[in-house]
Amino acid sequence: MSGVNLSGIVKQYWGYDTLRPLQARAMDCVIENRDSLVVLPTGGGKSLCFQAPALAMDGLAVVISPLISLMKDQVGALRAVGVAAGCINSSMTGASRRETHQALQSGTLKLLYVAPERVVQPAFIEYLKKLRLSFIAVDEAHCISQWGHDFRPEYRALECLRGAIPGIALHCYTATATPHVQTDICASMGLRSPEIVIGSFVRPNLIYSTERRTKLLEQVLEVIGRHQGESGIIYCITRKKVDELCAQLRAHGLSALPYHAGLDASKREEHQEAFSREGAEIIVATVAFGMGIDKPDVRYVVHTGMPKSIEHYQQESGRAGRDGLDAECRLFYSGSDFQLWKTIMGDEEGASSGVALTKLNDMYSYCTGMRCRHQVLTSYFGERLEKSNCGACDICLGSADLAPDGLTIAQKILSCIVRLGELAGPSYTTLILTGSREPRVVEKRHDKLSTWGLLREIKAPLVRDWIEQLAEQEYVRKQGEYNILEVTERGRDLLRGVGAPRLSAPGGLKKSVARTAARGVSAKGWGQAERELFEALRALRREIAAERHAPALTVFGDLALRDMVLRRPVNKTQFLEVAGVGEKKCRDYADLFLPVIREHQERMQDENA
Ligand code: ADP
Ligand code: ZN
C-alpha cells in the first residue's frame, strides 16, 4: 500500500494497537478505490473499515446510514476521538446545518453522514458533485435487499448513485451473511467487480444456552442477578409481555425500560438514549428494538420466547458482547411459542408460507436440540466450525449431562411411534408415552398399546424435547403440516440396538446452565479489588456522559475500562497505552481517570499494610 499508515492513524485516534486482519483488507480496498462489499458480524469492527481510510485520503467520505440515532452516535463517537465528522438530517436546527455546510465548503470535514432519502435528491447530488469526494460508504447495506431482514424502500433509491456520481468508489457494509443478500447488494448498487470481504460469524465470546420456560420471572431474575450493574436486553414476543415483564422487573428495584412499536416515537427514543447513556441498565423490548443500537458493552441478551427464525436469533443475540468480551445469550422457550408465531404470522399477508414455517421449525429444533449452539448458528449460514467443543454453549459445557440410558429411552420412543402406525405427531406421541388417559387417547384405545406409559415417570416436556432431539439427530423425521413422526433408516438401526443417540438427562440442562454461567464470571478472573476499581471507573464514566449529554461509549467502552483495571496506569504515557485511548481521549480524560485509579491503588496499599 502506497505509504499510507493506517495502523498509525488507528493508534493515534482510536488507541487500538492492531487492525483485525479483515479490517486491513477492507481498508486496502478503500484506499485503492476498488468497490467493495464487506460482510462482518456485529462487533466485527465495520465502522473503522471506512472511518480510518477517510482520514488517510484526500477529500470527503460520504456515509449513508439508515437511522438518525445511529448517525448521531457515530458522529459523536468520531468527534470524541478528534475526527472532523458531521451529519445532515431532518432533525437538525438551522444553525448546526449552516455549521456543517461551512465545514463542507472549507473542506475540513472528513466524514459526512446522510440518510438515504436525502443523498438521492438531485439537488443534493449536484451539491456533492461540487465537493471533493474520497468515496461513498453504505452502512447497513442489506436494507437494500428484499431478502434481508430489514428491507427499506428508501435504500432502493440508492441504485441511482453509481450513475449519478460515476467516478467515485462505492463500499457497502453489512452484517447479514446470506449469499442471496450479498449478490442482491452488489447488483443493486452496481458495484464494479467488487472485492468481497467476508468475516467469520463465529462469536466465541458469546455463551449460548437455552432452557424451557417454567417460571419466567424467576428465570430472568436469575440471569440478571449474575450481571449486576451491567447492561442487558430482554426480548419478548409481544408488546403486552414487554410491559408486564418490565413492570415486574421495576417492582424488583431494577432500572428497566420498555421499548416497542406501541410507544410513541419520542418515548422510544428517550428509552433508547437512556439505555445507551447508562441511565437504565435493562431494556425490555420487542424485536422493534435493536437496529439503532450501537452499544458495545451489552453483557447479556435474554429471549423470553422463541424468535421466529435463526436469522432473527443470530441478529438479536449478536447485539451482546460487541466489544469482544464475554457475554451471555440465554433463550427461554416453550412449545406454545411456535403456535403464537403461527397466529401472528397468519395475520401477516403471505407470511404463513412454507418458508416461514420451515424457519420456525429450524428455530424450534435449535431450542430443543443437543447440537453445539455455535455449530448450529454458523452452519446455518454456510460456515463450518472446526472445533468439536466450542466451550461456549450449554451443550459443549454440559456434555456430561446426557441421559446415561439414551439408547433405551430412544428405543421406547421409536417403538411407540411404530405402534402408533407412524400416524401421530410429537404431542400425541408424548401423551401415549407418559401414560395419559385423555378422552381422545381412551377413545382410540391407545391406552391399551404396549408402549402406553413406557415413560410415565418422566415429565411430558422432557419427553417432548427427547423427540425433538431424535428428530434433529435424524432418527425420526417430521412430515407435513402436523409434523407426523416417521422412523428413519437410522432409527430402525437404533431399534436393533445399533447407534448412540444423545438425549439430555433429566435436570441435566440446569447443571450445564450453571456451568455456562460460571464461565461468564470466571473468564474475568477478577477479585474484589478489580471489581471495585471497575465500578468506580464506570461511575465516573456515567457522570461524565450525563454531564455532557453524550452516550457512555463516546467517553470509553467497557474494553477501555477493563484495560485500565488491568494496567493501572499512573501517568499520561501509560494512559495512552490503554486499548481504546487515543491522543484526544488522553488529553480529554487522563486528568479525570488517573486520580480515581491512583486513589484506588493507595487505598489497596493501605489495606494491605
Ligand atoms: P460493527 O459496526 O461491525 O458492529 P463496530 O464498528 O461497532 O462493529 O466495532 C465493534 C467494537 O470493536 C467497537 O467497540 C470498536 O471500537 C471495537 N474495535 C474495532 N476495531 C478494533 C480494533 N482494531 N482493535 C480493537 N477494538 C476494535
Ligand atoms: Zn458448543
Side-chain angles (χ1 to χ4, degrees):
M1 217 167 39
S2 52
V4 184
N5 182 5
L6 284 168
S7 318
I9 289 177
V10 168
K11 174 72 188 159
Q12 180 190 343
Y13 286 89
W14 283 274
Y16 301 137
D17 286 330
T18 50
L19 288 179
R20 297 173 182 156
L22 295 180
Q23 278 181 326
R25 253 186 73 198
M27 287 181 192
D28 284 350
C29 298
V30 181
I31 296 283
E32 291 163 18
N33 284 315
R34 273 181 290 143
D35 285 359
S36 67
L37 168 65
V38 177
V39 188
L40 290 179
T42 313
K46 285 184 288 298
S47 333
L48 216 56
C49 295
F50 53 85
Q51 290 170 346
L55 291 185
M57 294 165 79
D58 283 337
L60 171 79
V62 176
V63 183
I64 296 158
S65 173
L67 294 179
I68 292 181
S69 61
L70 213 62
M71 256 185 236
K72 277 193 198 158
D73 281 359
Q74 293 252 328
V75 171
L78 281 167
R79 288 187 178 160
V81 299
V83 174
C87 60
I88 297 187
N89 65 51
S90 50
S91 78
M92 285 165 79
T93 61
S96 54
R97 212 176 280 243
R98 269 192 300 281
E99 196 184 307
T100 308
H101 178 69
Q102 257 157 21
L104 284 170
Q105 292 305 318
S106 65
T108 47
L109 214 59
K110 295 311 295 177
L111 290 119
L112 177 70
Y113 281 73
V114 277
E117 54 274 25
R118 176 166 308 261
V119 81
V120 296
Q121 285 165 9
F124 194 75
I125 287 186
E126 284 314 308
Y127 180 76
L128 284 183
K129 279 163 101 171
K130 293 200 191 88
L131 302 170
R132 191 185 156 90
L133 299 185
S134 48
F135 61 88
I136 297 175
V138 183
D139 209 0
E140 311 288 353
H142 58 271
C143 294
I144 203 169
S145 172
Q146 312 239 21
W147 299 96
H149 55 85
D150 191 23
F151 171 64
R152 289 168 181 252
E154 65 273 21
Y155 257 70
R156 267 285 162 202
L158 295 176
E159 290 178 349
C160 77
L161 274 183
R162 168 99 297 161
I165 315 180
I168 301 295
L170 290 173
H171 304 287
C172 296
Y173 302 86
T174 176
T176 301
T178 64
H180 209 139
V181 174
Q182 291 166 21
T183 21
D184 222 16
I185 295 172
C186 293
S188 312
M189 291 299 300
L191 300 188
R192 283 190 287 250
S193 37
E195 177 90 3
I196 298 184
V197 180
I198 300 181
S200 167
F201 276 70
V202 183
R203 304 262 314 267
N205 64 316
L206 300 189
I207 301 157
Y208 279 98
S209 62
T210 75
E211 193 182 353
R212 223 167 235 290
R213 195 165 64 233
T214 48
K215 292 181 181 140
L216 180 66
L217 181 61
E218 272 174 39
Q219 289 173 305
V220 172
L221 285 173
E222 189 257 336
V223 178
I224 297 174
R226 257 183 285 116
H227 296 278
Q228 278 174 27
E230 300 182 328
S231 300
I233 304 174
I234 299 173
Y235 281 110
C236 304
I237 299 179
T238 62
R239 297 176 192 178
K240 186 161 156 271
K241 191 75 216 171
V242 167
D243 290 332
E244 187 186 302
L245 183 61
C246 192
Q248 286 171 322
L249 295 180
R250 291 179 71 94
H252 274 79
L254 294 162
S255 68
L257 288 174
Y259 189 104
H260 56 66
L263 298 169
D264 62 49
S266 64
K267 263 273 166 302
R268 285 207 302 269
E269 193 174 340
E270 185 188 311
H271 291 180
Q272 176 166 327
E273 298 244 333
F275 183 61
S276 295
R277 284 158 207 211
E278 311 225 306
E281 279 162 10
I282 302 166
I283 201 107
V284 188
T286 59
V287 293
F289 179 77
M291 177 72 176
I293 188 81
D294 189 19
K295 193 170 166 49
D297 56 354
V298 173
R299 294 270 73 86
Y300 60 96
V301 170
V302 172
H303 279 74
T304 63
M306 183 179 91
K308 66 173 162 179
S309 74
I310 290 192
E311 282 102 317
H312 281 88
Y313 188 54
Q314 199 230 20
Q315 191 78 21
E316 289 151 24
S317 62
R319 300 203 166 104
R322 290 173 71 145
D323 52 13
L325 301 169
D326 273 0
E328 180 175 354
C329 302
R330 186 67 159 281
L331 167 48
F332 299 112
Y333 67 95
S334 140
S336 61
D337 297 340
F338 196 95
Q339 223 29 64
L340 179 57
W341 275 120
K342 269 171 85 169
T343 316
I344 295 173
M345 292 189 324
D347 299 341
E348 290 166 22
E349 199 187 338
S352 57
S353 64
V355 181
L357 269 184
T358 310
K359 291 190 172 195
L360 262 187
N361 263 315
D362 288 345
M363 192 63 227
Y364 194 60
S365 311
Y366 172 92
C367 294
T368 52
M370 290 297 285
R371 258 178 81 203
C372 165
R373 312 288 175 200
H374 283 279
Q375 197 87 249
V376 178
L377 288 173
T378 50
S379 68
Y380 195 82
F381 296 99
E383 188 181 340
R384 274 189 67 84
L385 190 68
E386 296 306 333
K387 273 191 271 180
S388 62
N389 185 317
C390 77
C393 80
D394 51 352
I395 303 301
C396 294
L397 289 164
S399 48
D401 300 322
L402 293 178
D405 45 354
L407 181 61
T408 319
I409 296 169
Q411 286 175 332
K412 289 180 181 173
I413 296 172
L414 294 178
S415 40
C416 185
I417 294 171
V418 173
R419 287 277 170 274
L420 285 166
E422 302 185 87
L423 289 168
S427 306
Y428 191 79
T429 308
T430 303
L431 283 182
I432 305 304
L433 281 162
T434 51
S436 161
R437 285 191 206 279
E438 268 191 28
R440 56 179 167 154
V441 173
V442 178
E443 268 162 35
K444 294 198 190 98
R445 300 178 55 82
H446 282 157
D447 55 337
K448 302 285 181 289
L449 288 177
S450 60
T451 52
W452 181 87
L454 269 184
L455 294 172
R456 71 168 68 79
E457 74 284 10
I458 307 289
K459 292 218 164 62
L462 182 60
V463 174
R464 187 78 178 68
D465 281 355
W466 282 340
I467 295 176
E468 290 300 326
Q469 290 162 14
L470 289 173
E472 193 197 34
Q473 294 164 55
E474 295 176 353
Y475 295 110
V476 299
R477 192 172 24 237
K478 296 188 277 184
Q479 295 280 40
E481 191 186 342
Y482 299 104
N483 287 326
I484 301 302
L485 298 173
E486 282 175 15
V487 178
T488 63
E489 209 42 54
R490 252 166 88 80
R492 303 212 181 267
D493 288 345
L494 264 196
L495 284 171
R496 286 192 289 273
V498 181
R502 294 160 52 87
L503 300 180
S504 52
L509 275 178
K510 272 258 165 331
K511 274 184 259 162
S512 72
V513 163
R515 235 170 272 143
T516 317
R519 152 148 183 202
V521 176
S522 67
K524 292 175 200 160
W526 280 5
Q528 188 61 25
E530 282 88 355
R531 248 171 246 285
E532 274 176 28
L533 176 55
F534 185 65
E535 282 314 315
L537 296 174
R538 276 173 53 108
L540 175 59
R541 169 176 74 182
R542 200 155 37 225
E543 219 174 275
I544 299 173
E547 204 173 278
R548 307 192 177 180
H549 301 288
L553 108 139
T554 59
V555 183
F556 285 120
D558 273 10
L559 195 66
L561 298 192
R562 282 184 197 220
D563 210 34
M564 286 179 209
V565 173
L566 218 64
R567 292 172 188 260
R568 319 260 164 106
V570 296
N571 55 38
K572 286 194 179 175
T573 316
Q574 291 179 2
F575 197 65
L576 203 49
E577 282 168 14
V578 171
V581 180
E583 287 177 4
K584 180 163 192 318
K585 285 198 178 172
C586 183
R587 279 198 303 279
D588 288 352
Y589 298 122
D591 291 336
L592 294 169
F593 281 80
L594 286 174
V596 174
I597 298 169
R598 205 171 304 136
E599 189 187 308
H600 174 85
Q601 282 297 76
E602 281 163 11
R603 207 161 24 116
M604 285 298 111
Q605 275 156 10
D606 289 349
E607 276 174 22
N608 290 338

